[in-house]
Amino acid sequence: MLFNFFSRVGAPLTNTLIKLGFACRFLVAILRHSGTSLLRPHLTLREIWFAGVLSVLIISVSGLFVGMVLALQGYDTLQRFGASSSLGILVALSLVRELGPVVAALLFASRAGSAITAEIGLMKVTEQLSAMEMMAVNPIARVVAPRFWGGVISMPLLAAIFSAMGIFGGYLVGVKLLGLDDGSFWSQMQGSVDFRLDVMNGVIKSVFFGFAISLIAVFEGFDAPPTAEGISRATTRTVVTSSLVILALDFILTAFMFRGV
């Protein structure tokens, strides 16, 4: 009876560890067969279009409004301390360091990550992956690897677009709406944002996020049970797991990057 109790308690942890092991093996297989994506760049470019270009609209609009809201909230706080002229610094550093990579990654996981999982899962249900194996075509090389690298490449570009649109939204609110000095807004931003410490660290974050989201998306789709319910649950797991991993990675990377800065 005691054995059955510990078995029930430890089963979720055991299953999670087993799935992590399969995910690591899956990642090794993707890296081993990534040569196809390099030798046939049109496969990866098509996935960049699907995962990246088709996500530009939601990324741009979200970044614009996040920047506008950030400027409104920041101006109210800075004005209390007589530092409203530093609004440009607040908007730029908040977006480039933190909000740009994180919010863009969450949107990317919701829009592109779930779509990749559903697409691969549907190919599994309709036995397209099995048909490829019958024709001596490796589905990991032909289907999974291009989608994985398309997501990894798209994520930093989308994060940069998000940050740029957010800064533009902050400019519209701070300068055009609230009447801050145009030159002061841009000059203080340029003088305070460091390329290596701020911009490059944000790019590194977005690369890690893209790597994690793409791996989770393709693995969940490839591992999904070949049923409608299986695909539905795999798509949900992709969004939930990606969101948690993004927030955890953000804390870890921030602790290493900005420690003592």
Side-chain angles (χ1 to χ4, degrees):
M1 186 173 180
L2 187 61
F3 176 78
N4 292 334
F5 171 76
F6 283 111
S7 297
R8 289 195 302 270
V9 171
L13 178 60
T14 303
N15 293 334
T16 301
L17 292 177
I18 292 173
K19 197 165 186 178
L20 284 175
F22 279 118
C24 292
R25 291 180 57 190
F26 190 70
L27 175 60
V28 172
I30 292 174
L31 297 178
R32 189 170 66 243
H33 295 95
S34 292
T36 303
S37 302
L38 300 177
L39 296 176
R40 299 179 181 178
H42 68 278
L43 297 176
T44 304
L45 291 175
R46 185 176 63 184
E47 300 308 322
I48 292 175
W49 168 268
F50 174 76
V53 177
L54 296 182
S55 301
V56 168
L57 179 61
I58 186 174
I59 292 289
S60 301
V61 174
S62 300
L64 180 67
F65 283 108
V66 166
M68 294 172 72
V69 171
L70 184 62
L72 283 174
Q73 296 283 6
Y75 180 80
D76 181 64
T77 302
L78 292 174
Q79 194 178 32
R80 299 177 186 178
F81 301 97
S84 56
S85 60
S86 300
L87 182 64
I89 302 174
L90 172 67
V91 172
L93 289 180
S94 300
L95 286 166
V96 172
R97 282 187 174 188
E98 196 67 31
L99 291 179
V102 173
V103 179
L106 293 174
L107 292 172
F108 181 77
S110 302
R111 212 295 292 174
S114 59
I116 292 172
T117 299
E119 186 179 15
I120 296 177
L122 185 60
M123 294 177 72
K124 188 175 181 180
V125 170
T126 55
E127 298 185 349
Q128 296 181 48
L129 301 181
S130 300
M132 289 182 184
E133 293 178 346
M134 290 291 292
M135 294 184 294
V137 176
N138 192 322
I140 293 181
R142 182 63 177 77
V143 174
V144 175
R147 286 165 174 77
F148 173 78
W149 290 113
V152 172
I153 295 171
S154 299
M155 185 61 245
L157 302 177
L158 293 174
I161 293 173
F162 186 97
S163 298
M165 291 300 297
I167 292 173
F168 178 67
Y171 166 78
L172 291 179
V173 170
V175 176
K176 300 300 182 181
L177 181 62
L178 300 176
L180 293 178
D181 181 69
D182 193 348
S184 175
F185 183 88
W186 292 113
S187 63
Q188 291 203 35
M189 183 189 303
Q190 293 173 0
S192 301
V193 177
D194 185 81
F195 180 78
R196 184 181 64 85
L197 293 178
D198 301 319
V199 177
M200 285 307 300
N201 284 341
V203 172
I204 293 171
K205 278 187 178 183
S206 61
V207 171
F208 273 93
F209 295 159
F211 190 92
I213 295 168
S214 301
L215 177 60
I216 293 170
V218 296
F219 174 74
E220 290 291 353
F222 202 83
D223 189 56
T227 61
E229 184 181 4
I231 296 176
S232 174
R233 290 186 176 182
T235 304
T236 303
R237 283 197 303 270
T238 294
V239 177
V240 174
T241 306
S242 297
S243 301
L244 295 176
V245 169
I246 288 166
L247 297 176
L249 275 177
D250 179 53
F251 172 76
I252 295 171
L253 293 172
T254 302
F256 278 102
M257 289 175 176
F258 300 109
R259 183 173 55 186
V261 176

